[in-house]
Amino acid sequence: MNGQTRISWPARAVSALLALLTALALVVCCAAMLAHSLLTSTSLHESVALDARVTDAQMERITARAEELAAKYGFAPQSVLSVVTQDSVTAYSREVIAWWMGLLGDEPVLEAPAYPTADIEAAVRADELFQASIPAVQQRTVARDSVAYEMGRAVSRAVLPLRTELIALVMPRLQERISLPVWMNRLAKLPLVCAGAALGLMLMILLLLRARPDKAALYAGTALAGAALTVLGLTALLPLLNLGGMAAELSDMLALQCGVLYKGLALRALLAALPLLVCGYALIFLHQRRRKARP
Amino acid sequence: MSRNVSRPSRLFWLTPLLVALPLLAAACAVAALYWPKLCSLLSVVMKLVVTS
């Protein structure tokens, strides 16, 4: 006899099942946290919009479009690019993010913000080359409709490569069917509910194995660390779904934004999984530290 | 009276894998089952919504 109570096999089986359910609850908790971040976190989306690779690619596209229009309508591209600066594009990106996040709120504004084009029009009309190449009576129309409007569209598409008018069309119908704020509220509460369930299940393990607290620590630690490994594994496997590849077929900019967004989400998944991994292995360490006495 | 003492097996450090691997396998199985259908739906939606 070693002086320690032996655990019956049904107690072991039930504990293992409880540990699996605890891990599942924790994985759902982390997934709900990440989904909530994806849908509501302005900082996450700003980190994508302000990423150097994304802003550089946006400015490259915008510059290319300005040069294309300049060649067509005979003005110096610098006239437009002095107005469409990286700062103004960044400010517009922030507006778009606020609009995008607001779509899931109580009172969504359906129409996406437009990049202000009045300054572009004024800059083009003031350009000497433009004045020389376009007849005076057409300058206003060409500057407004063919240059400023097109540049505004180019900036909008570089910032958000989606047909926002379609989103504005679909959203009211979606709102008629389901109340998005109610569902967002439920999603916000889901991590707490899952964490509470996981805590309850771990208490059940402790109650079941109260005669052997070290084994209870082992099962609870296994559940915590197992959940963390699952979250990390799922995050690592996510690129296999090839969402970036699907996006790249349609828009390079969207693929780039998806890539940066994935890295932001992966970092958040790591930050969520790390405490679970540490707590889990700390509990397993408690089990491993005890010395088993032999006669 | 002297007593021999021993530590539990080091294999206990690997027990989290007993939880993580079935959960990952289940997630992969669900993805293999439903992802092709979801992917084609997503592809249609993306073609409608995404601009080049």
Side-chain angles (χ1 to χ4, degrees), chain A residues 64-136:
Chain A
R65 187 67 180 137
E67 283 169 355
E68 205 178 294
L69 290 170
K72 195 172 175 186
Y73 296 106
F75 61 89
Q78 207 48 44
S79 304
V80 166
L81 293 172
S82 63
V83 179
V84 188
T85 57
Q86 190 151 329
D87 287 345
S88 71
V89 174
T90 303
Y92 175 67
S93 294
R94 286 204 166 99
E95 267 182 62
V96 171
I97 290 166
W99 167 76
W100 183 251
M101 296 286 105
L103 279 178
L104 300 170
D106 290 329
E107 289 173 7
V109 178
L110 295 177
E111 202 174 326
Y115 184 79
T117 55
D119 288 349
I120 303 174
E121 185 189 331
V124 172
R125 286 180 72 185
D127 186 274
E128 286 175 8
L129 285 172
F130 181 75
Q131 287 168 356
S133 58
I134 303 288

Side-chain angles (χ1 to χ4, degrees), chain A:
Chain A
M1 286 291 289
N2 59 15
Q4 284 177 325
T5 314
R6 247 192 114 67
I7 308 169
S8 64
W9 70 264
R12 278 172 199 255
V14 173
S15 300
L17 186 67
L18 288 174
L20 198 66
L21 289 174
T22 307
L24 189 62
L26 289 170
V27 170
V28 175
C29 173
C30 289
M33 268 165 62
L34 291 176
H36 191 252
S37 291
L38 184 65
L39 295 173
T40 61
S41 170
T42 305
S43 63
L44 176 67
H45 289 273
E46 274 190 359
S47 72
V48 175
L50 305 181
D51 185 86
R53 279 169 304 162
V54 172
T55 52
D56 287 351
Q58 282 170 344
M59 286 316 289
E60 255 177 50
R61 276 181 154 223
I62 291 164
T63 306
R65 187 67 180 137
E67 283 169 355
E68 205 178 294
L69 290 170
K72 195 172 175 186
Y73 296 106
F75 61 89
Q78 207 48 44
S79 304
V80 166
L81 293 172
S82 63
V83 179
V84 188
T85 57
Q86 190 151 329
D87 287 345
S88 71
V89 174
T90 303
Y92 175 67
S93 294
R94 286 204 166 99
E95 267 182 62
V96 171
I97 290 166
W99 167 76
W100 183 251
M101 296 286 105
L103 279 178
L104 300 170
D106 290 329
E107 289 173 7
V109 178
L110 295 177
E111 202 174 326
Y115 184 79
T117 55
D119 288 349
I120 303 174
E121 185 189 331
V124 172
R125 286 180 72 185
D127 186 274
E128 286 175 8
L129 285 172
F130 181 75
Q131 287 168 356
S133 58
I134 303 288
V137 286
Q138 290 177 5
Q139 281 176 12
R140 185 164 179 263
T141 316
V142 171
R144 187 189 60 206
D145 298 343
S146 304
V147 181
Y149 173 74
E150 286 299 322
M151 277 310 296
R153 236 162 63 114
V155 175
S156 299
R157 288 189 169 181
V159 169
L160 187 69
L162 301 178
R163 288 191 179 89
T164 51
E165 60 276 11
L166 258 180
I167 295 169
L169 206 69
V170 169
M171 281 307 285
R173 289 168 204 282
L174 196 67
Q175 292 275 17
E176 277 171 22
R177 285 165 191 261
I178 54 166
S179 170
L180 286 174
V182 170
W183 279 97
M184 290 309 294
N185 200 24
R186 284 177 188 163
L187 185 63
K189 283 178 186 162
L190 189 58
L192 274 177
V193 172
C194 289
L199 204 65
L201 288 164
M202 280 194 286
L203 283 173
M204 281 170 73
I205 294 175
L206 190 64
L207 273 175
L208 194 66
L209 303 176
R210 61 188 175 281
R212 290 287 301 275
D214 59 317
K215 286 289 173 198
L218 175 70
Y219 280 97
T222 298
L224 288 170
L229 292 178
T230 308
V231 169
L232 293 176
L234 288 176
T235 309
L237 290 174
L238 205 60
L240 291 181
L241 295 180
N242 196 28
L243 281 170
M246 276 169 70
E249 281 176 21
L250 300 165
S251 163
D252 292 341
M253 183 56 72
L254 187 68
L256 185 63
Q257 288 171 332
C258 283
V260 178
L261 185 65
Y262 169 71
K263 280 181 186 160
L265 277 176
L267 183 68
R268 280 170 190 242
L270 184 70
L271 288 176
L274 215 57
L276 294 178
L277 197 67
V278 170
C279 289
Y281 271 104
L283 287 172
I284 296 172
F285 175 74
L286 286 180
H287 174 265
Q288 297 297 87
R289 204 178 58 131
R290 66 151 185 132
R291 284 167 185 273
K292 194 162 70 179
R294 280 181 181 164

